[in-house]
Amino acid sequence: MTSQAVLELRDVTRRFGASTVLDAVNVTVRDGSFTALLGASGCGKSTTLRIMAGLDRPTEGEVLLSGENVADKTAYERNIAMVFQSYALYPHLTVFQNIALPLTMRHLNAFSRVPGLGRLAPGSATARELITKKVTETADILSLADLLHRKPNSLSGGQKQRVALGRALVRDPVMFLLDEPLSNLDARLRVKMRSELVSLHKRTDRPFVYVTHDQVEAMAMADQIIVMIKGKVAQAGSPRDLYDRPADKEVAAFIGTNSINFFEPDDGLGQMNGYPVNALIGIRPEHLAPAAGGHFGARLETAEFLGSETVLGLRTERGKEILAIAPGDYPVPAPGSEVRLGVSPERLHLFDRQSGKRLNAEHAR
Amino acid sequence: MTPGRLFGRSLSLALLLIGALAILLPFIWMVSLAFKPQDEIFTATIQLLPSRIEWSNFTKALTETDVPRYLLNGVIVVVGILAFQILFAVPCAFALAHRRFAGRTLIFGLVLAALLVPFHVTAIPIFLGFAQIGILNTYWALILPFVPTAFGIFLFRQFLAQVPSELFDAARVDGLSETAIVWRIAFPLAMPAATAFAIFSITAHWNDLFWPLIATTDSDLATPPRGILFFRDEESGDDVGPLMAAAALITAPLVIAFLLAQRKFTRGLAAGGLKG
């Protein structure tokens, strides 16, 4: 993590009228990194991305690109590429023209861009050759070569997605911003595009900033995840950091496929020795497994067999609902029977009951 | 089909036919007269079809009168008006639909209010103003009053408001200036609205008699309807055949244009949010 910071947001605040959408957000995107901006809808992650792109201006704070303040620069001047959730392909242009448009604007002057007549402009022939070459190369990378003459309306969702990526890729930008690019695809295509995006990231070696509300996507692709909650950065770190040491209970609740169990002190875990009496205890279902000499017992209510694992829904004697995950070969007892559950102490997360912040008790590793 | 429904269908069809006939009759009569020889025009009996097709009415209208000149004037004025209207209305509409600036709602309100003001109200002030700057009796006098079009701005704004703003953001990221976005992205997308608007504009100004009658006295500047008046005055009304031929010539371009663009026209209206 010593590589150079490409883009930095310093104390960026954005207000729309009376409502504060972003509140003193600090973000650093390093060279070659894959950063995920993760958060529920309305948490300000898209606004953050638009400010990075230069489509929106911060009310306060600075945007630094390679150390230089770019507050007054447009998206184009920053040479940042952006892929939009709806793909935002120009419906009246062919795939070729869609991908070529950024280059057309860069390499051809106003006169040369006039349809037909522009071909007479000096130098436009070489520029056009260059554009055709670059578009063809990009199309080959994204396997779009057969679709170049088609209009966006006749493409499938995955193909549109590729065209949108192509339009970003063809410019050779300093960084890529992606706004929920996979959310309009079906589940299988999404997994496929995920790996394509990762290999595209490796290939270009440019930083990617990826906005998503899906923690699985963020965990799978990113090397840095920034969790945003209500316009603030709740935590920034590697996927493992966020999973192992969530900074507060909201981050803990957001990260992880199965939502974490929280225990109030009077929920029946209080007998565990040595922990602050007032702490809220978080245990991930995957760290809570049936064990003969377990710490506490709960009655089994539901069991979902998923093959590699079985998700158990239980209820403690105090009436608290919890989730636990047993291995796939676990012999599920009859509903209503008592199951002893065990957890290793280092898998406990302790949070302050008032502020929700992580407590660093000396026994928590 | 039950007898009751058959009756209902026939009745509505008959009513529609009568309505269509009532509207089309003057037009049909004009076409009929235009093709009739001189001696058949004023007969006591009603004869819709001429005994022989008389082309000389058209030859006379086209060669011995100023009708070609009127047609040319009509084209210059109509095309001039439409070009300037689109040149100004599309950027205005784009700004109203997709740019945030102080007073946007107010300005859009003013545009809507301007829709309610009939041209006849502003005609006299405009006439006086044009007289002051001395551009009466020019093509500009015929074109300029119609360049600011509240209807055009409204139509294009309604259409562009439905285009997702992500598309224009993408264009900004791709390096298009706001002007380039208007003409390279917004205008091509608004083509259906533009077609509908063009038909409205062309029909209204091709057929307009009121303003050319006020703003021009020079017969060399006469638009087609104004020209017909000159024609009638000069020929003192007895040469009905060529007069009707001229009238047919003048209405023909619009009828043909409408038939060609009919589909786009209705689609543009639907898309423009005026319907449904």
Side-chain angles (χ1 to χ4, degrees):
Chain A
M1 289 298 268
T2 48
S3 54
Q4 209 185 339
V6 175
L7 183 117
E8 272 182 84
L9 301 186
R10 285 196 189 153
D11 293 321
V12 165
T13 298
R14 181 70 172 99
R15 293 189 197 92
F16 291 109
S19 66
T20 304
V21 177
L22 293 181
D23 189 2
V25 166
N26 286 291
V27 171
T28 306
V29 178
R30 295 187 181 281
D31 200 14
S33 71
F34 197 125
T35 303
L37 282 177
L38 179 63
S41 59
C43 72
K45 54 191 194 301
S46 288
T47 309
T48 311
L49 203 69
R50 289 174 59 84
I51 286 177
M52 287 179 176
L55 290 169
D56 201 348
R57 303 260 183 275
T59 315
E60 283 163 30
E62 288 184 319
V63 182
L64 303 180
L65 192 63
S66 309
E68 184 194 351
N69 192 339
V70 288
D72 299 327
K73 289 199 173 175
T74 64
Y76 177 67
E77 287 163 341
R78 295 178 191 193
N79 195 19
I80 289 177
M82 186 155 171
V83 176
F84 293 85
Q85 185 173 6
S86 64
Y87 317 132
L89 302 179
Y90 310 118
H92 59 295
L93 301 179
T94 63
V95 169
F96 180 92
Q97 289 167 324
N98 261 284
I99 299 179
L101 191 64
L103 298 178
T104 315
M105 299 314 289
R106 185 188 296 171
H107 294 296
L108 296 177
N109 59 30
F111 178 67
S112 313
R113 291 198 298 261
V114 177
L117 200 62
R119 297 191 179 276
L120 305 173
S124 89
T126 39
R128 274 170 208 280
E129 257 171 48
L130 177 80
I131 291 169
T132 311
K133 187 167 153 278
K134 281 198 178 178
V135 172
T136 320
E137 278 172 15
T138 311
D140 283 341
I141 294 174
L142 295 162
S143 33
L144 287 170
D146 298 336
L147 306 173
L148 284 175
H149 58 279
R150 301 254 292 262
K151 292 270 176 76
N153 282 344
S154 67
L155 302 181
S156 70
Q159 289 167 336
K160 283 183 194 171
Q161 178 66 73
R162 286 212 186 85
V163 177
L165 282 171
R167 198 171 58 184
L169 206 59
V170 78
R171 289 167 47 187
D172 193 20
V174 296
M175 67 187 296
F176 290 85
L177 307 178
L178 303 105
D179 189 0
E180 307 225 14
L182 306 184
S183 60
N184 288 341
L185 302 178
D186 64 59
R188 290 180 61 173
L189 201 52
R190 206 177 297 168
V191 174
K192 186 166 171 284
M193 284 306 288
R194 219 152 74 183
S195 58
E196 279 190 30
L197 275 178
V198 170
S199 62
L200 202 60
H201 174 240
K202 292 227 172 71
R203 185 188 189 109
T204 57
D205 203 29
R206 297 271 191 269
F208 274 44
V209 178
Y210 186 99
V211 161
T212 181
H213 62 268
D214 182 352
Q215 59 95 22
V216 179
E217 274 180 17
M219 299 286 274
M221 293 193 281
D223 50 35
Q224 180 190 217
I225 298 181
I226 294 166
V227 181
M228 296 193 63
I229 291 168
K230 289 179 189 146
K232 288 186 177 166
V233 174
Q235 191 175 3
S238 69
R240 183 156 291 279
D241 276 349
L242 264 64
Y243 182 77
D244 285 344
R245 300 180 56 80
D248 60 36
K249 66 172 197 186
E250 283 168 279
V251 176
F254 212 95
I255 302 285
T257 309
N258 297 298
S259 54
I260 192 167
N261 301 302
F262 286 116
F263 296 93
E264 296 284 342
D266 54 0
D267 273 343
L269 275 185
Q271 71 272 33
M272 287 189 179
N273 311 326
Y275 292 106
V277 184
N278 261 334
L280 185 71
I281 297 174
I283 308 173
R284 294 193 185 280
E286 52 268 40
H287 300 140
L288 201 56
H295 294 91
F296 64 102
R299 272 218 314 285
L300 183 69
E301 293 201 324
T302 59
E304 292 172 20
F305 176 68
L306 300 177
S308 61
E309 59 189 32
T310 306
V311 180
L312 305 176
L314 307 109
R315 195 180 286 274
T316 66
E317 57 197 30
R318 302 276 178 100
K320 164 101 183 145
E321 279 180 58
I322 53 175
L323 279 184
I325 291 182
D329 56 2
Y330 173 71
V332 180
S337 47
E338 167 106 356
V339 178
R340 297 299 293 175
L341 295 167
V343 58
S344 55
E346 74 269 15
R347 290 300 194 180
L348 295 183
H349 304 279
L350 302 178
F351 302 102
D352 187 281
R353 282 181 73 200
Q354 270 80 46
S355 66
K357 293 274 173 256
R358 183 180 188 83
L359 293 175
N360 281 316
E362 56 285 354
H363 4 263
R365 343 173 252 160
Chain B
M1 203 182 287
T2 64
R5 269 187 74 186
L6 189 68
F7 176 74
R9 284 273 178 91
S10 329
L11 185 70
S12 52
L13 189 65
L15 284 174
L16 279 174
L17 276 177
I18 292 169
L21 261 182
I23 292 166
L24 282 178
L25 194 60
F27 186 79
I28 294 170
W29 196 242
M30 172 189 79
V31 176
S32 162
L33 288 184
F35 285 105
K36 272 182 186 170
Q38 185 73 20
D39 54 331
E40 278 182 38
I41 290 175
F42 296 105
T43 50
T45 54
I46 293 176
Q47 186 83 36
L48 197 60
L49 292 176
S51 61
R52 59 190 168 87
I53 300 283
E54 181 63 73
W55 290 105
S56 71
N57 289 334
F58 285 92
T59 348
K60 200 172 174 195
L62 281 172
T63 52
E64 289 173 33
T65 69
D66 282 337
V67 168
R69 173 89 213 176
Y70 304 150
L71 288 173
L72 177 70
N73 286 341
V75 170
I76 292 173
V77 169
V78 160
V79 170
I81 290 174
L82 183 63
F84 281 110
Q85 280 178 330
I86 286 183
L87 187 67
F88 291 107
V90 176
C92 289
F94 175 75
L96 284 173
H98 285 284
R99 306 270 306 160
R100 316 220 157 265
F101 53 90
R104 184 175 76 154
T105 323
L106 178 73
I107 292 175
F108 187 52
L110 289 176
V111 170
L112 290 180
L115 277 176
L116 305 176
V117 181
F119 176 70
H120 309 83
V121 173
T122 48
I124 302 305
I126 290 176
F127 173 80
L128 295 174
F130 280 11
Q132 285 282 318
I133 54 175
I135 58 166
L136 289 175
N137 265 325
T138 62
Y139 282 124
W140 289 115
L142 293 172
I143 292 173
L144 282 181
F146 305 105
V147 170
T149 160
F151 175 65
I153 294 175
F154 175 72
L155 190 72
F156 282 115
R157 192 215 92 108
Q158 295 308 86
F159 194 89
L160 290 178
Q162 296 169 14
V163 178
S165 61
E166 272 196 354
L167 203 58
F168 301 119
D169 280 339
R172 286 183 190 116
V173 173
D174 283 345
L176 274 71
S177 67
E178 297 297 301
T179 321
I181 289 174
V182 169
W183 297 116
R184 294 182 70 96
I185 309 294
F187 182 57
L189 289 178
M191 252 324 159
T195 315
F197 176 70
I199 290 180
F200 278 122
S201 169
I202 290 173
T203 324
H205 299 117
W206 182 270
N207 290 335
D208 187 26
L209 176 61
F210 174 76
W211 181 246
L213 206 53
I214 293 176
T216 56
T217 47
D218 187 348
S219 70
D220 278 351
L221 288 172
T223 56
R226 179 80 186 89
I228 292 269
L229 289 185
F230 279 120
F231 191 71
R232 203 192 59 190
D233 294 346
E234 283 164 18
E235 306 295 326
S236 63
D238 64 339
D239 218 354
V240 175
L243 181 64
M244 287 300 128
L249 282 173
I250 282 162
T251 44
L254 285 190
V255 174
I256 291 167
F258 179 77
L259 290 179
L260 287 179
Q262 198 180 13
R263 248 238 250 59
K264 278 193 169 181
F265 175 62
T266 39
R267 201 193 320 152
L269 272 191
L274 290 178
K275 219 167 105 185

